[in-house]
Amino acid sequence: RCTGIVYRYATARLYGQCVVCAAVLIALGTVATLTLTQGAPDTPEAVLPPVKLPPEQEAILQTLADVNSTRWLMHAYWYGEVGRKQVLAMRSLLASLWEAGESVVRSLDIALSPGEVQLVKNQLQRKRVWLVLWIDSDRGWENIENDRLDPMLRELLPWISVVKYDPRTLSVGTPLGGGPRGLVQTKRLDYRADYARILLLWHYGGFWFDLDFVFFRSVVPLLEQIPDFAYPFGNSRLINNAFMHLTKSGDVVEDLITRCAEEGVAYPVRLSAYDSEKSHKGLALLDPATIDICWITDCFDFVWFMQNKTPTEVFLKRFTGRVAYHWHNMWHRPIDPGSAFEWCERQAAAKFLAHSKQAA
């Protein structure tokens, strides 16, 4: 089903996740839109005490760590409030999975206490996909605790496990132990997110996607065929860490986190593991057109996705046959009525509504 998807393999020694082209640094593989500046490598600082997780969160983390490797874990992360743009990625992903006949773990099936973990593991054996949204403990988690949720996110909650991301706790016992500065700093949220994806994929493995994606087809065929993959920034040698699949405890993820610790950086343009010429030989690179046709065609300016300037037939042609589209960090750009974003939103909402009733 994925014939022709992999167009080359990363050669040389090193890991890769997602990529970023230096010319469009700001638009790539991160969950922040802060201005990117070149700085010195992150240096260790005083280790802050880990956050104590409530019993249900401990149970979820334990279950995640022990989940059968034949089940597909899918991870997304956010620092702050989840709203309309972030919801599109998750809703369209769920709709594409259901359209392909995949079974998705209901968050209601997840253990409420550590003692129920085995029961939940048995339930998970009947499901194929588990979607996990990691919300940062420093900002965003308070909305979950106090039930201040966007109505569109609330609609997804039966099918998404929302878990607290605490970088202080997750870095303990890893090659990043001690906590590099970028792990917990808040001035460069893109750096913080880059550390998050490395930590989470090292702990749990699975498929990572940034929340500036919209999905059209199931990603499971890719996951079944290719153990470790990412995709390049257009035709460049840089790897985009916004869309990747890594095997838990595999050589690729071990190489990635080790280099991250040694080099003191997690950002794609600066970390050697995200250079396709130096990346781990086991990391496959997808054909960029599979998910990001605009890197190699005429729509390099991603603002078009939010504007009502592109004829419907044009963006439909761009989306046809793609697994997904990456609209690259247009977080602060208003969504125009009649835009491609709005069209995708309507399509995803209709499919989600139809399939979620059948899957319930």
Side-chain angles (χ1 to χ4, degrees):
R1 286 176 288 180
C2 301
T3 302
I5 292 299
V6 178
Y7 80 104
R8 65 188 176 89
Y9 284 84
T11 57
R13 168 99 176 115
L14 236 277
Y15 218 117
Q17 269 183 2
C18 311
V19 120
V20 187
C21 186
V24 250
L25 223 22
I26 243 179
L28 250 312
T30 62
V31 297
T33 52
L34 300 177
T35 302
L36 301 178
T37 58
Q38 193 77 3
D42 294 331
T43 54
E45 58 183 16
V47 179
L48 299 175
V51 174
K52 177 62 176 175
L53 295 174
E56 65 272 14
Q57 290 289 303
E58 292 180 351
I60 291 176
L61 293 179
Q62 183 180 345
T63 309
L64 278 170
D66 295 339
V67 70
N68 190 308
S69 60
T70 62
R71 301 305 186 263
W72 307 117
L73 284 176
M74 300 186 179
H75 308 273
Y77 160 86
W78 193 250
Y79 178 97
E81 183 175 345
V82 177
R84 178 182 178 185
K85 290 181 178 179
Q86 295 85 356
V87 164
L88 175 60
M90 295 179 284
R91 180 185 275 159
S92 62
L93 175 59
L94 285 167
S96 69
L97 292 168
W98 283 326
E99 275 199 313
E102 298 293 344
S103 56
V104 180
V105 172
R106 288 172 56 91
S107 60
L108 298 177
D109 295 336
I110 305 304
L112 298 179
S113 67
E116 297 177 354
V117 168
Q118 187 56 51
L119 173 62
V120 172
K121 289 180 186 176
N122 294 336
Q123 294 171 337
L124 290 177
Q125 298 306 310
R126 300 193 297 271
K127 306 290 184 179
R128 287 255 296 175
V129 177
W130 188 359
L131 180 55
V132 182
L133 173 63
W134 298 86
I135 299 294
D136 203 290
S137 59
D138 288 351
R139 186 178 176 191
W141 187 251
E142 69 280 3
N143 293 328
I144 306 298
E145 289 185 314
N146 298 316
D147 199 26
R148 297 194 302 265
L149 303 179
D150 183 283
M152 290 193 293
L153 174 60
R154 190 182 300 278
E155 180 186 12
L156 305 184
L157 288 185
W159 305 103
I160 297 176
S161 293
V162 181
V163 185
K164 180 187 290 186
Y165 168 75
D166 173 27
R168 303 163 186 87
T169 298
L170 284 172
S171 63
V172 174
T174 75
L176 297 178
R181 183 178 60 202
L183 196 67
V184 295
Q185 59 80 42
T186 57
K187 292 183 179 180
R188 294 293 306 268
L189 295 179
D190 48 349
Y191 286 4
R192 188 179 181 112
D194 289 327
Y195 277 107
R197 78 192 74 215
I198 292 175
L199 269 177
L200 292 172
L201 290 173
W202 184 85
H203 273 288
Y204 307 111
F207 169 62
W208 175 281
F209 64 100
D210 279 1
L211 290 173
D212 50 354
F213 271 85
V214 57
F215 290 85
F216 306 113
R217 292 164 47 201
S218 171
V219 299
V220 170
L222 288 175
L223 308 183
E224 291 177 327
Q225 181 167 324
I226 314 171
D228 299 278
F229 68 72
Y231 86 98
F233 183 88
N235 295 317
S236 79
R237 62 183 176 83
L238 295 173
I239 298 172
N240 190 330
N241 65 356
F243 185 100
M244 60 194 314
H245 180 231
L246 298 179
T247 305
K248 178 183 175 181
S249 302
D251 291 343
V252 180
V253 76
E254 290 291 345
D255 181 58
L256 176 63
I257 199 169
T258 298
R259 287 203 226 185
C260 179
E262 292 174 348
E263 298 173 25
V265 294
Y267 189 68
V269 168
R270 294 167 57 196
L271 179 60
S272 64
Y274 290 131
D275 184 331
S276 64
E277 295 178 1
K278 302 175 182 177
S279 63
H280 193 280
K281 63 182 179 181
L283 182 71
L285 296 186
L286 304 179
D287 181 343
T290 305
I291 59 171
D292 219 346
I293 186 63
C294 287
W295 282 133
I296 53 179
T297 59
D298 59 347
C299 48
F300 191 75
D301 183 358
F302 302 103
V303 176
W304 77 271
F305 188 63
M306 303 293 174
Q307 295 176 325
N308 184 14
K309 293 183 178 181
T310 305
T312 303
E313 60 271 17
V314 173
F315 64 70
L316 284 179
K317 183 178 180 180
R318 291 173 180 172
F319 297 152
T320 300
R322 314 297 168 197
V323 172
Y325 173 67
H326 190 188
W327 46 268
H328 295 285
N329 275 359
M330 296 290 105
W331 298 114
H332 299 304
R333 178 64 174 80
I335 304 169
D336 291 348
S339 63
F341 181 99
E342 190 178 73
W343 183 89
C344 291
E345 190 176 47
R346 289 197 306 269
Q347 296 295 312
K351 293 177 181 179
F352 176 88
L353 181 63
H355 290 286
S356 62
K357 291 180 178 179
Q358 300 174 18

